[in-house]
């Protein structure tokens, strides 16, 4: 429950940072995947963000309406669609990081020097265990 409470607090901080930019955390999560991976199949976006197929479709619809992402056909599979971030999406992604940095600093302000890095390391090991168990 403690990890869940920390997640809620961090999500609230990110929502506060993203609100002036006109996107929500769910949109930002998809943009993160697109920046990290490049064009990505919708089903892979669902897996990467922990969303379901219908949820990802709604998020991508939102991103397309805002001009932040586009769906493109995948050669050799006329039913498959890859989602790609647009230049405008990349600009917003960068702006979101700039907006979130001071809020993220506030989130870890009570930690001692070195503890934010240690927390990141521990959370990474929990999220991505060495044995590949998900």
């Amino acid at each position: 429950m403690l990890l869940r409470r920390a997640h809620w607090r961090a999500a609230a901080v990110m929502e506060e940072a993203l609100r002036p930019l006109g996107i929500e955390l769910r949109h930002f999560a998809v943009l993160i995947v697109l920046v990290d991976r490049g064009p990505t199949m919708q089903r892979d976006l669902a897996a990467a963000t922990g969303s379901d197929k219908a949820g990802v479709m709604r998020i991508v619809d939102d991103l397309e309406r805002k001009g932040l992402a586009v769906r493109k056909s995948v050669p050799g599979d006329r039913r498959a669609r890859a989602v790609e971030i647009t230049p405008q999406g990349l600009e917003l992604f960068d702006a979101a990081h700039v907006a979130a940095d001071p809020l993220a600093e506030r989130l870890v302000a009570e930690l001692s020097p070195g503890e934010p890095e240690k927390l990141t390391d521990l959370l990474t090991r929990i999220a991505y265990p060495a044995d590949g168990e998900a």
Side-chain angles (χ1 to χ4, degrees):
M1 289 304 293
L2 186 57
L3 190 55
R4 182 72 171 168
R5 175 71 181 128
H7 166 77
W8 287 335
R9 185 159 178 243
V13 165
M14 279 304 296
E15 287 287 353
E16 182 182 339
L18 297 172
R19 189 174 302 116
L21 300 173
I23 63 169
E24 299 171 19
L25 189 53
R26 62 194 181 105
H27 301 118
F28 190 57
V30 169
L31 293 177
I32 290 169
V33 174
L34 295 177
V35 168
D36 286 348
R37 297 184 182 180
T40 305
M41 303 284 283
Q42 288 184 169
R43 69 174 171 266
D44 296 332
L45 283 174
T49 60
S51 186
D52 60 26
K53 183 180 173 183
V56 163
M57 287 181 67
R58 285 190 299 273
I59 294 166
V60 173
D61 287 345
D62 290 348
L63 293 173
E64 276 192 316
R65 271 192 297 279
K66 294 174 185 290
L68 305 175
V70 293
R71 287 180 177 101
K72 293 191 173 181
S73 298
V74 174
D77 187 345
R78 62 184 183 160
R79 293 185 332 179
R81 304 296 236 178
V83 181
E84 186 175 322
I85 194 167
T86 64
Q88 183 181 348
L90 202 49
E91 283 181 29
L92 185 129
F93 176 81
D94 291 341
H97 277 286
V98 169
D101 278 347
L103 296 174
E105 290 295 323
R106 190 177 76 205
L107 195 61
V108 296
E110 293 186 31
L111 300 181
S112 299
E115 286 184 331
E117 295 80 9
K118 186 172 186 171
L119 177 62
T120 298
D121 177 58
L122 293 170
L123 290 172
T124 300
R125 289 171 32 206
I126 289 170
Y128 305 104
D131 64 7
E133 185 181 311

